Amino acid sequence: MATADDARRIALALPGAVEELAWGLPTFRAGRGGRIFASLDDGDQVIGVKCPHEDRERLIASEPHKFFVREGHDDAYAWLRVRLGALDDEEELYAVLLDSWRQAAPRRPLEAHPEPGGPSWP
């Protein structure tokens, strides 16, 4: 079971990642002032991540106990909510965060970062 502490540790291990408060919530950005790639919510039980609309529908349909959208709030955004306690392990959390970070990261760090499970996995 993944926790908010695991999410924070993994997110901040990604190149250039920083934590900043936004809307009273901890968010993780791809660089200071960069794009948000994750945000903790619901008493640190849920993390929001970037996810293309076409992928999120498939993920929600296949594993609704893990993935969902906040109706009326996430509808117009390429954003997905993930129940941390429903994830299989830290490696799955890492894969989710890395995918989101890749959508927000500037090109240079993106090209330098390894694939999930590679030798630099935090």
Side-chain angles (χ1 to χ4, degrees):
M1 180 169 99
T3 67
D5 289 339
D6 296 329
R8 180 174 277 110
R9 177 178 44 79
I10 292 169
L12 292 174
L14 294 168
V18 296
E19 182 174 346
E20 295 180 3
L21 283 179
W23 312 286
L25 300 170
T27 65
F28 303 93
R29 295 174 181 263
R32 182 110 9 238
R35 294 171 58 194
I36 295 173
F37 69 90
S39 177
L40 286 166
D41 200 358
D42 293 339
D44 291 349
Q45 302 299 308
V46 169
I47 192 161
V49 294
K50 295 184 76 54
C51 183
H53 288 276
E54 59 274 7
D55 292 342
R56 78 179 189 180
E57 291 177 20
R58 179 183 48 77
L59 286 167
I60 293 167
S62 68
E63 297 184 279
H65 64 287
K66 288 183 187 179
F67 306 110
F68 68 102
V69 293
R70 184 153 294 134
E71 298 296 328
H73 187 270
D74 298 331
D75 300 337
Y77 302 100
W79 203 250
L80 177 72
R81 307 290 170 143
V82 182
R83 292 178 182 92
L84 291 169
L87 293 173
D88 296 335
D89 52 30
E90 284 187 24
E91 193 165 339
E92 184 176 26
L93 175 58
Y94 175 71
V96 167
L97 286 168
L98 178 61
D99 184 62
S100 185
W101 175 84
R102 286 181 178 278
Q103 294 174 62
R107 197 169 115 216
R108 178 184 274 164
L110 179 61
E111 291 171 349
H113 196 69
E115 290 298 316
S120 297
W121 187 72

